[in-house]
Amino acid sequence: DNMRFNKRRIVVNGGQKVKITLKHVGKMSKDLMGHNFVILKKGTNLNEFGQKANAAKDTEYIPVDMKDAIIAHTKMIGGGEETTIEFDAPEAGEYDFLCSFPAHYAIMKGKFVVQ
């Protein structure tokens, strides 16, 4: 419920199979304090994505018109829940990750680094 990821930077190797598990260690429901994990493609404006996500409640705060800007994302979860995603690491570089629940992206963000 503190609106923080426990990592601000995640480093992986290019082409590697990546498995990320998101655990919501708080107690609040996903309607009040939901969290997800979204990795954006290079060149995607984090603030623009976050602002559009605010209005995308029906799609778990993933803006339909920006789905092509996402490498991978988890579902939205509430307190005590967890979810896991698996995907192949993209090309080398730095990518933004965030929680797209309204206003969380300002604090809940970091860098996904592919070597």
Side-chain angles (χ1 to χ4, degrees):
D1 298 333
N2 292 328
M3 289 179 36
R4 299 262 188 252
F5 286 122
N6 68 338
K7 298 194 181 297
R8 303 293 254 163
R9 185 176 174 89
I10 299 169
V11 180
V12 301
N13 294 318
Q16 169 184 347
K17 181 65 96 180
V18 178
K19 181 177 182 180
I20 295 177
T21 298
L22 176 66
K23 295 180 183 181
H24 189 318
V25 297
K27 297 185 187 308
M28 297 175 82
S29 72
K30 76 176 182 179
D31 294 337
L32 298 174
M33 187 62 72
H35 296 309
N36 65 0
F37 182 84
V38 181
I39 302 173
L40 301 176
K41 290 181 180 176
K42 285 183 190 177
T44 302
N45 183 298
L46 182 125
N47 290 324
E48 178 186 350
F49 184 91
Q51 289 170 2
K52 286 188 174 191
N54 286 339
K57 183 177 182 181
D58 292 342
T59 54
E60 292 198 324
Y61 303 106
I62 299 294
V64 174
D65 66 335
M66 294 192 79
K67 276 199 164 227
D68 291 343
I70 298 171
I71 293 170
H73 72 87
T74 66
K75 66 180 183 174
M76 190 67 60
I77 59 173
E81 297 178 326
E82 70 177 60
T83 185
T84 299
I85 54 173
E86 290 188 51
F87 59 96
D88 294 325
E91 67 182 46
E94 280 195 0
Y95 302 84
D96 290 313
F97 68 79
L98 69 144
C99 172
S100 66
F101 192 85
H104 287 197
Y105 73 93
I107 298 170
M108 293 184 73
K109 61 185 176 182
K111 295 292 183 185
F112 182 79
V113 180
V114 182
Q115 302 184 83

